[in-house]
Amino acid sequence: MITRVRRAFGVLAPEQRRVALAALLVLVSMLLPWYSKSTNAITNKGLDSEHEAKMAIFVPSFIEASIFLVALAVLVLMFARGERRAFHLPFGDGIVVSAAGVWVGFLVFYRFIDQPAGGTSKSIAYSYDLSWGIFFGLLAAAFLVYAGTRLRLSRVTEPPLPGEGPPAGERRPRRERDRDRDEPRRPRPPTETPPPDFGDDPPTAATSVAPSRPEIDGGTQLSFDEQD
């Protein structure tokens, strides 16, 4: 599997690699402390308070699950493009990736307004506050939007469907262009033109004969004595 991932990453265009990196950064940000959990417990010694940093991936809710699935879907998309899977997404890969980045950014921003809900029991009360890791997640979402926009503007060719030629005006990944350039070209078979058939008579060279100058008869010149 690791070999397939490395091979697929090597085939991708630079813009597609940037998209994969941005999606990976979104996943990495979920391993950072997004929240700070404060727990207040009543014990025999009195009130006991504890503060604990919580990673986003360990605070299960709809927000964190959506961010994780969207980033994972973008990585799967780039892996499929690296393996030259032939399929087309509505509006193209660039717009889909940009929309994914906007959605992730909206979810992260929503967490600034609405933190995870706390809870209480008979002797324990806990609540959540924001931590520094969530700012990294917001930056990763913005980078994903930027990467999708660059992918849309670059017009990287998607793998064509069976019976479909490459679209005009789009460029292929550099690795694919180099591979086609390095492949030896097959020599064309020599074409033999049959000689023309002139029948039994061989062709004669056309000769041009200059017309002879007409002789001018000046008559017989008479002497002066004969004229008299």
Side-chain angles (χ1 to χ4, degrees):
M1 186 62 184
I2 297 179
T3 304
R4 290 179 60 188
V5 172
R6 293 179 58 185
R7 186 186 303 112
F9 186 79
V11 174
L12 294 177
E15 293 80 6
Q16 293 173 324
R17 296 181 184 180
R18 188 183 295 116
V19 170
L21 177 61
L24 186 62
L25 289 178
V26 172
L27 292 180
V28 170
S29 69
M30 300 191 70
L31 300 177
L32 299 177
W34 280 25
Y35 312 108
S36 176
K37 182 180 179 181
S38 300
T39 304
N40 298 319
I42 300 176
T43 61
N44 297 329
K45 298 181 180 179
L47 182 63
D48 187 13
S49 299
E50 294 182 359
H51 299 279
E52 180 184 4
K54 300 291 292 185
M55 301 179 184
I57 199 171
F58 293 142
V59 182
S61 69
F62 171 77
I63 302 297
E64 287 75 21
S66 298
I67 295 173
F68 179 81
L69 292 178
V70 168
L72 186 62
V74 173
L75 285 177
V76 172
L77 172 62
M78 292 299 104
F79 176 74
R81 293 308 186 195
E83 290 197 334
R84 311 307 296 166
R85 302 288 181 85
F87 61 90
H88 296 316
L89 295 179
F91 309 108
D93 293 354
I95 295 181
V96 171
V97 172
S98 298
V102 171
W103 177 244
V104 171
F106 171 76
L107 294 178
V108 175
F109 179 76
Y110 180 77
R111 275 306 184 206
F112 281 88
I113 303 174
D114 184 17
Q115 289 84 19
T120 58
S121 63
K122 294 182 179 181
S123 59
I124 299 176
Y126 63 92
S127 60
Y128 289 95
D129 296 322
L130 297 181
S131 185
W132 60 271
I134 195 171
F135 296 96
F136 187 83
L138 189 61
L139 292 177
F143 184 47
L144 185 59
V145 175
Y146 168 77
T149 304
R150 295 298 303 174
L151 179 61
R152 179 178 60 85
L153 296 177
S154 64
R155 299 180 61 85
V156 177
T157 305
E158 300 175 358
L161 297 173
E164 181 184 9
E170 297 188 358
R171 67 181 184 86
R172 298 178 299 169
R174 185 179 60 183
R175 293 293 184 88
E176 186 176 347
R177 298 197 307 267
D178 296 342
R179 181 188 59 191
D180 295 343
R181 183 189 60 189
D182 297 338
E183 288 182 356
R185 297 182 178 179
R186 298 181 179 178
R188 296 182 178 179
T191 58
E192 297 181 359
T193 305
D197 186 10
F198 297 101
D200 297 335
D201 299 331
T204 57
T207 58
S208 60
V209 179
S212 60
R213 300 178 60 184
E215 296 180 359
I216 302 175
D217 187 7
T220 303
Q221 183 178 6
L222 301 177
S223 61
F224 292 102
D225 295 338
E226 293 177 348
Q227 291 179 0
D228 295 337

